Amino acid sequence: METARDAYLRMLGDELTPRLKELGFIAPTLDPRTPSPRPAFQIIGQDPGPTTAGPADLTDFRLPVPGHHVLLGLHEYWANNSASFQFTVNILATSHTAWATFRAGSTDFNGNPWPSEPTTSTHYGPGGPPIARLGQLMGLADKWWYISPRRPTEPVAEEIATAVQHHALPAINELTHP
């Protein structure tokens, strides 16, 4: 029997990834069906322990824009279960220069240097690259998508891809081509 997570992973691999590729995004190199080595969330000051995750290429879709890090990441709700799966979409766009300046002037909460590339799963605090929610770019306060093993997933993938095309890409263009 398919769980909600199974339905999410199927939707991600079979329906959403091809649509995002059509919009110019490069899919993560980590198979989305493999559990992420990063914690779902981290308490400030808590050591997340060793991870095998590298930069954003493992978990975020990347949009190739010269001189910029442009990332789109799907982030799971911490209390998902076999019957219900929720996630949101985060977007980060920052210049390589701004990221290098930020990295040179600060460290993470444990005093470690920031990675060579940003990721949408980390809040960098004041001075760090801002992360926008796709729902906010759609004019909503926030937006979480819901997957159930009993509901079709194609409308969810279609809604996200359409929102990326009509809301995220224009916002990214404004940030990367002022």
Side-chain angles (χ1 to χ4, degrees):
M1 179 176 193
E2 184 178 59
T3 67
R5 179 169 179 75
D6 295 337
Y8 164 77
L9 292 173
R10 180 179 40 74
M11 181 272 310
L12 179 60
D14 298 342
E15 299 163 0
L16 185 58
T17 294
R19 289 290 314 275
L20 292 177
K21 284 182 175 181
E22 288 173 9
L23 297 174
F25 286 88
I26 298 169
T29 56
L30 180 68
D31 183 337
R33 291 170 176 83
T34 303
S36 173
R38 290 195 179 120
F41 65 94
Q42 178 182 343
I43 298 170
I44 294 175
Q46 175 188 23
D47 183 359
T51 67
T52 57
D57 65 338
L58 293 182
T59 58
D60 291 326
F61 288 84
R62 293 178 294 119
L63 184 65
V65 177
H68 290 81
H69 298 287
V70 179
L71 309 169
L72 181 145
L74 281 64
H75 294 279
E76 305 170 8
Y77 179 59
W78 66 272
N80 286 329
N81 58 51
S82 63
S84 172
F85 193 95
Q86 296 178 53
F87 65 97
T88 190
V89 180
N90 292 340
I91 298 163
L92 179 148
T94 188
S95 71
H96 290 168
T97 303
W99 178 247
T101 301
F102 173 72
R103 284 187 71 220
S106 68
T107 59
D108 72 11
F109 301 115
N110 295 313
N112 300 314
W114 293 109
S116 60
E117 294 182 28
T119 177
T120 63
S121 64
T122 302
H123 174 70
Y124 296 101
I131 297 175
R133 289 273 174 89
L134 181 56
Q136 292 169 327
L137 297 175
M138 295 166 66
L140 305 170
D142 198 4
K143 173 73 174 171
W144 287 78
W145 283 269
Y146 171 79
I147 299 286
S148 165
R150 291 172 286 187
R151 292 176 40 191
T153 56
E154 189 172 326
V156 174
E158 180 65 28
E159 181 181 0
I160 293 168
T162 300
V164 167
Q165 181 177 8
H166 295 291
H167 301 285
L169 289 178
I172 290 167
N173 193 48
E174 284 182 32
L175 289 169
T176 59
H177 299 91

